[in-house]
Amino acid sequence: MATGQLFSRTTQALFYNYKQLPIQRMLDFDFLCGRETPSVAGIINPGAEGFQKLFFGQEEIAIPVHSTIEAACAAHPTADVFINFASFRSAAASSMAALKQPTIRVVAIIAEGVPESDTKQLIAYARSNNKVVIGPATVGGIQAGAFKIGDTAGTIDNIIHCKLYRPGSVGFVSKSGGMSNEMYNTIARVTDGIYEGIAIGGDVFPGSTLSDHILRFNNIPQVKMMVVLGELGGRDEYSLVEALKQGKVNKPVVAWVSGTCARLFKSEVQFGHAGAKSGGEMESAQGKNQALREAGAIVPTSYEALEAAIKETFAKLVEEEKITPVKEIKPPQIPEDLNSAIKSGKVRAPTHIISTISDDRGEEPCYAGVPMSSIVEQGYGVGDVISLLWFKRSLPRYCTHFIEICIMLCADHGPCVSGAHNTIVTARAGKDLVSSLVSGLLTIGPRFGGAIDDAARYFKDAYDRCLTPYEFVESMKKKGIRVPGIGHRIKRGDNRDKRVELLQRFARTHFPSVKYMEYAVQVETYTLSKANNLVLNVDGAIGSLFLDLLAGSGMFSKQEIDEIVEIGYLNGLFVLARSIGLIGHTFDQKRLKQPLYRHPWEDVLYTK
Ligand code: Q5B
């Protein structure tokens, strides 16, 4: 293992597997420490590339995302720490790939459950290539005021509380990540704080050992004393015992091996970590504490006495003027995330969108306040859903039935109409469903299918102003406007549109009043007297009948009716209905494997 410093205030890492929270915590720590550059240079998210937006203090920054370790290392040659948040299944392979990169010096493996044989290979490779592995099964480590791995030391509040935003004089190494948080607190209480803290992880074969880090701390001048928190199970602590005995450590080491309670159990006990298994005397906490004590470490009589032992050791070093306690600094305030500030009621923010028709935030989505379960359980139909989402109210059954009839009757009108023709040509050009559908929908307008709103507008205006059909049609003619809802390419006075008949029959039977429709029929009688093709068409029938629905249902105020007509809701019925047919035509052409459409020359008049 390399001697001395692992990290500095300029160390940058590559973060494997995108995990928003630990990366943001690293960046928040950077800001707290007054780092000039973010400690995460790049993210590796296998198969994905681009940028990930995160905060560096108040500023939003875009961190590059790479799809491979190789690409990330090539793009960020100065980033020498690899923080591996891969699952236990892929942690070993990705860690080995990272170790093989010449730019990577330290690899931290967070995953628990990495196969021991894989870890051994990683350790062997790292040792022979002078690289450092922290973990597996670790939270990572921290160099106070400089660099932090992932979630180490927990929340920003805890980091501030433990004064980890600036370096102290204590080097700390632990097996347990959870306990290291506890110890950061303890050490901050009774000393001037942590210089560096490492959790080596609870596996039987850690990538780097307690003694590796103690020997390294021994070489860092800023580290004046060391604290070790070992664990029962395994023999890792004995390499530290050896190092102490051989005089390789010349700074005070306060140590405690937890798990003394294992003796209270009759049988062998496995604690939380894979390596924390009570075995023989050598593996016991008592055995290790005794060996460390005999080798010269300061070992208290219980965990409870550890804090006092650290305090005493620190005080002695201060007294001997080996430590000049660091001056306190006030860390900058991390800006609070908007979401949490809103949640806690500290700030208010204007919304950017207002919506009144549906809400998916609760247990189940609601349409105009009606939950999905009611829609299904109470047998609502498409007409009811349209009523809720378009008109924001439940309409009487005859109204929703009328809406459904409109949808059914307008769903298709053969392959020769404008919309279907466009859809067919588009589908035959090899385009996808949505392209084929919208190319058909785009033909809907004042001449084709999209005359319903104008029909409603003009019929309503003429009827409300008590114009006779003659006055209405002739005034339109004077203005050069064709009467919307009148006229058809193939329907005639002697070949009426069946759809119009069906709609009229339904309305005459169920609507309380059909005054607008009867007016439209009078207009038709007049236009038919002029030309046989000037029938009331399906757009005209729906437009006039919807006026009757709005006025006769008693569910809409006069202003609401005017608004519906003014905004133009009713073409929506044709758009919705005809989408069904256009989708059908797309499938039909695809199913029939029809080739690219080309219009025949013979069907074009070429002229100058
Ligand atoms: N003339 C629909 O015209 C069509 C007149 C008129 C006064 C009128 C035409 C029109 C208003 C828009 C409308 C919806 C373009 C139609 C639909 C869905 C569909 C389609 C399908 C489906 C047809 C001949 C003479 C001229 C014109 C006069 C025509 N319309 N005068 N008011 N409304 N209507 N659209 O047959 O003196 O010779 O110059 O614009 O309601 O789209 O099935 O195909 O389900 O898919 O091409 O049903 O009526 O007639 O243009 O040759 O005109 O009649 O001024 O007079 P045509 P043109 P003049 S339903």
Side-chain angles (χ1 to χ4, degrees):
M1 184 171 183
T3 53
Q5 301 272 10
L6 276 191
F7 312 117
S8 73
R9 281 172 65 81
T10 54
T11 297
Q12 283 199 302
L14 295 174
F15 199 100
Y16 188 86
N17 257 14
Y18 178 62
K19 298 270 184 271
Q20 199 255 347
L21 202 58
I23 300 179
Q24 188 57 64
R25 281 182 169 169
M26 285 177 70
L27 300 177
D28 285 347
F29 174 76
D30 297 346
F31 179 73
L32 210 59
C33 303
R35 275 183 62 125
E36 278 172 15
T37 46
S39 58
V40 180
I43 297 165
I44 300 147
N45 206 8
E49 273 177 2
F51 291 90
Q52 198 61 55
K53 286 196 303 166
L54 289 139
F55 283 106
F56 186 55
Q58 207 151 19
E59 223 184 290
E60 228 182 351
I61 54 169
I63 298 190
V65 178
H66 305 275
S67 61
T68 65
I69 295 170
E70 293 73 18
C73 291
H76 310 282
T78 54
D80 56 3
V81 178
F82 185 85
I83 300 176
N84 195 344
F85 265 72
S87 74
F88 72 93
R89 287 174 295 276
S90 51
S94 45
S95 296
M96 186 57 96
L99 283 171
K100 287 188 174 166
Q101 294 297 312
T103 52
I104 297 297
R105 193 175 45 85
V106 180
V107 172
I109 308 168
I110 311 302
E112 262 183 69
V114 176
E116 287 173 2
S117 56
D118 289 346
T119 310
K120 283 182 187 168
Q121 284 182 28
L122 291 171
I123 294 169
Y125 186 87
R127 285 194 190 275
S128 59
N129 288 276
N130 205 23
K131 301 198 176 195
V132 177
V133 174
I134 302 172
T138 180
V139 68
I142 187 165
Q143 186 178 317
F147 180 81
K148 169 175 115 82
I149 295 171
D151 289 317
T152 303
T155 61
I156 285 298
D157 284 348
N158 194 54
I159 287 168
I160 294 173
H161 187 71
C162 300
K163 300 184 179 121
L164 292 164
Y165 47 82
R166 51 90 181 135
S169 310
V170 182
F172 168 67
V173 62
S174 157
K175 278 190 174 172
S176 158
M179 282 306 291
S180 62
N181 268 4
E182 181 60 32
M183 289 304 296
Y184 293 149
N185 265 290
T186 306
I187 292 168
R189 262 200 306 273
V190 295
T191 72
D192 66 353
I194 289 281
Y195 181 81
E196 189 187 315
I198 298 285
I200 63 166
D203 278 3
V204 180
F205 300 102
S208 50
T209 64
L210 297 173
S211 61
D212 284 339
H213 292 287
I214 289 295
L215 290 171
R216 195 169 56 74
F217 292 158
N218 200 53
N219 290 336
I220 300 175
Q222 296 93 321
V223 174
K224 308 292 184 194
M225 61 177 278
M226 278 95 84
V227 176
V228 181
L229 189 65
E231 215 169 63
L232 83 167
R235 299 199 172 186
D236 190 22
E237 287 77 359
Y238 290 100
S239 58
L240 178 56
V241 169
E242 275 313 299
L244 287 166
K245 276 186 183 165
Q246 288 168 17
K248 289 184 181 166
V249 183
N250 54 23
K251 295 176 184 173
V253 175
V254 183
W256 178 252
V257 177
S258 58
T260 47
C261 64
R263 285 214 175 138
L264 301 174
F265 297 90
K266 285 201 177 103
S267 57
E268 194 182 41
V269 192
Q270 166 81 63
F271 289 83
H273 292 138
K277 198 168 16 172
S278 63
E281 180 54 27
M282 287 277 281
E283 286 84 15
S284 72
Q286 283 83 351
K288 292 184 189 185
N289 277 327
Q290 186 56 31
L292 283 164
R293 197 174 288 123
E294 284 166 11
I298 302 150
V299 181
T301 48
S302 67
Y303 176 75
E304 287 67 35
L306 182 60
E307 181 168 335
I310 297 167
K311 187 178 180 179
E312 248 172 61
T313 310
F314 179 77
K316 198 161 166 253
L317 290 169
V318 173
E319 208 179 283
E320 291 166 1
E321 294 183 355
K322 288 183 179 156
I323 290 180
T324 311
V326 290
K327 271 203 189 127
E328 267 322 320
I329 51 164
K330 198 171 156 28
Q333 181 123 23
I334 302 271
E336 194 171 345
D337 282 342
L338 188 60
N339 281 348
S340 66
I342 290 174
K343 245 188 213 160
S344 64
K346 279 189 205 149
V347 295
R348 58 189 184 191
T351 52
H352 294 95
I353 283 182
I354 176 166
S355 171
T356 65
I357 59 165
S358 61
D359 191 341
D360 66 334
R361 292 168 303 169
E363 255 180 45
E364 57 177 318
C366 292
Y367 291 163
V370 180
M372 285 291 157
S373 47
S374 304
I375 288 172
V376 172
E377 284 156 17
Q378 292 172 26
Y380 280 47
V382 169
D384 297 284
V385 170
I386 291 171
S387 304
L388 292 173
L389 290 177
W390 294 12
F391 301 104
K392 293 176 56 179
R393 69 204 74 192
S394 285
L395 292 174
R397 180 64 192 130
Y398 78 86
C399 295
T400 59
H401 195 179
F402 176 74
I403 291 173
E404 282 162 10
I405 292 173
C406 290
I407 301 291
M408 291 189 288
L409 295 182
C410 293
D412 196 41
H413 210 218
C416 303
V417 302
S418 310
H421 182 81
N422 257 24
T423 289
I424 289 169
V425 171
T426 309
R428 289 181 57 169
K431 298 297 293 270
D432 59 293
L433 171 66
V434 177
S435 307
S436 305
L437 169 64
V438 297
S439 103
L441 288 178
L442 288 173
T443 63
I444 296 175
R447 294 181 189 166
F448 169 67
I452 309 179
D453 280 315
D454 273 345
R457 275 181 205 123
Y458 282 106
F459 285 138
K460 181 171 187 307
D461 177 67
Y463 178 87
D464 291 352
R465 288 197 293 128
C466 302
L467 296 185
T468 64
Y470 168 82
E471 287 168 335
F472 170 49
V473 174
E474 293 308 321
S475 70
M476 294 289 279
K477 191 176 174 189
K478 264 195 205 139
K479 284 187 255 175
I481 304 172
R482 289 179 172 193
V483 181
I486 294 287
H488 199 273
R489 291 303 298 263
I490 55 166
K491 295 299 171 188
R492 296 283 176 272
D494 49 2
N495 171 31
R496 295 294 179 86
D497 190 330
K498 191 73 186 167
R499 299 171 298 179
V500 174
E501 275 177 41
L502 290 166
L503 288 167
Q504 288 174 330
R505 197 180 309 151
F506 179 86
R508 284 192 178 113
T509 313
H510 297 284
F511 281 26
S513 155
V514 286
K515 61 183 185 185
Y516 287 107
M517 188 268 279
E518 296 300 5
Y519 181 72
V521 170
Q522 288 170 33
V523 170
E524 179 193 41
T525 308
Y526 178 68
T527 52
L528 277 176
S529 71
K530 298 182 95 179
N532 202 24
N533 72 318
L534 297 185
V535 289
L536 180 66
N537 62 39
V538 74
D539 285 17
I542 294 176
S544 56
L545 281 169
F546 225 96
L547 291 174
D548 288 322
L549 182 152
L550 294 171
S553 65
M555 304 280 294
F556 299 88
S557 68
K558 193 184 161 315
Q559 285 89 333
E560 284 176 327
I561 297 173
D562 286 344
E563 192 182 37
I564 288 167
V565 172
E566 169 63 25
I567 290 174
Y569 281 35
L570 307 178
N571 285 345
L573 288 168
F574 192 90
V575 171
L576 178 65
R578 194 51 60 92
S579 294
I580 300 171
L582 298 180
I583 291 171
H585 283 293
T586 307
F587 295 155
D588 194 37
Q589 295 304 307
K590 303 263 180 207
R591 192 170 46 230
L592 295 167
K593 303 202 172 22
Q594 286 301 287
L596 180 66
Y597 178 83
R598 198 172 197 282
H599 205 72
W601 284 324
E602 305 76 52
D603 197 34
V604 176
L605 169 63
Y606 292 92
T607 179
K608 299 248 183 240

